[in-house]
Amino acid sequence: MDSREIEADLTEVLVTEQQIRDKLAELARRIEADYEGRDLLLVGVLKGAVMVMADLARELKPHVNMDWMAVSSYGAGTTSSGVVKILKDLDSDLSGRDVLIVEDIIDSGLTLSWLTGNLASRGAASIEICALLRKPDAAKVEIDVKYLGFDIPNQFVVGYGLDFAERYRNLRDVAILAPHVYS
Ligand code: IMP
Ligand code: MG
C-alpha cells in the first residue's frame, strides 16, 4: 500500500520506504561489525516488528536465528500500562545466547523495559535492542537502545508494521495518521 493512495487518511509522511531501507542497511553494517564471529538471535515482537525484522534480517550478511514473541499490555485503553502478558513465548532457549530484540517503535518504553528484564532472567549472554522508531517525548522509562532508526514526534503513526485497529500495517512508509480517522 502506497501513501499516495490513502492520502486522505494521513497528515504527513514521516519516513519513506527508501529512508527506511537506507537506515536498515546502515544499522546492519554496525550490527555485523559488533557481532563478528558470534551467533546472533534476533527476537521480534509481534506483530509490529514483522517488517523491520524481515528487512533487517535480509540485510544482514552472516547467518542469524530468528524467533518471535507476542505480548500484550494488561488493561484497556490506548496507553501502555507496563504490565505485560506473554501471548506467545519464544521457541528458543536463551542461555548463553547473544540476543538482539527487534522492535518497531519505542513509545513509553514500558513494553521493552519489561521485555528486557524478562529475557535477561533467562540467562542470555547479552541483550541489546534495535528499534526503527522512537518517540523521545513519550518516554516514561529510559530504554538503552543500541541500534535506533529515527526519532519522531509524539504523534500516532502507522505503516511499515504499525497499525491502527489492525489496518495500515502494509503501508510502505511511516506516516502520521490523520485525527479524523480515529476520533
Ligand atoms: P510502549 O510500551 O509504550 O513503548 O509501546 C509499545 C507498543 O505500542 C509498540 O510496540 C507499538 O506496538 C505500540 N505503539 C506505540 N506507539 C504507536 C504508534 O504511534 N502507532 C502504532 N502503534 C504504536
Ligand atoms: Mg510493537
Side-chain angles (χ1 to χ4, degrees):
M1 175 185 269
D2 294 310
S3 304
R4 240 173 303 122
E5 287 148 14
I6 53 160
E7 234 167 32
D9 289 5
L10 309 173
T11 305
E12 188 190 338
V13 173
L14 281 184
V15 193
T16 65
E17 184 183 19
Q18 185 61 48
Q19 288 172 317
I20 295 170
R21 192 176 301 137
D22 293 345
K23 182 63 75 174
L24 290 180
E26 188 186 310
L27 295 178
R29 299 295 84 79
R30 283 178 49 206
I31 293 167
E32 286 161 4
D34 292 349
Y35 289 90
E36 205 185 336
R38 287 147 75 194
D39 288 323
L40 187 56
L41 173 63
L42 302 177
V43 169
V45 185
L46 295 169
K47 306 170 192 168
V50 165
M51 306 298 178
V52 196
M53 179 73 130
D55 287 342
L56 177 69
R58 283 180 295 182
E59 187 60 42
L60 288 166
K61 292 183 173 61
H63 288 288
V64 292
N65 294 155
M66 285 184 253
D67 205 342
W68 300 92
M69 271 182 96
V71 298
S72 82
S73 299
Y74 275 111
T78 51
T79 49
S80 191
S81 63
V83 185
V84 173
K85 179 180 170 189
I86 297 178
L87 301 176
K88 185 229 171 282
D89 207 348
L90 298 171
D91 298 324
S92 327
D93 178 2
L94 293 193
S95 45
R97 300 300 306 265
D98 289 307
V99 175
L100 181 61
I101 301 173
V102 177
E103 253 289 35
D104 48 1
I105 190 165
I106 305 174
D107 186 12
S108 69
L110 292 168
T111 306
L112 269 176
S113 167
W114 179 89
L115 191 62
T116 46
N118 180 279
L119 299 189
S121 72
R122 307 186 195 193
S126 69
I127 299 174
E128 298 291 352
I129 294 167
C130 175
L132 181 70
L133 305 167
R134 178 175 63 182
K135 297 179 187 171
D137 297 339
K140 287 189 183 148
V141 285
E142 272 317 307
I143 295 295
D144 189 10
V145 50
K146 190 157 185 188
Y147 308 99
L148 176 68
F150 305 92
D151 275 325
I152 60 168
N154 191 9
Q155 304 229 41
F156 194 81
V157 295
V158 292
Y160 200 71
L162 291 155
D163 74 306
F164 170 67
E166 295 299 330
R167 299 177 76 191
Y168 305 100
R169 289 195 199 275
N170 60 324
L171 176 63
R172 293 174 183 277
D173 310 310
V174 172
I176 298 174
L177 190 63
H180 72 80
V181 177
Y182 54 85
S183 58

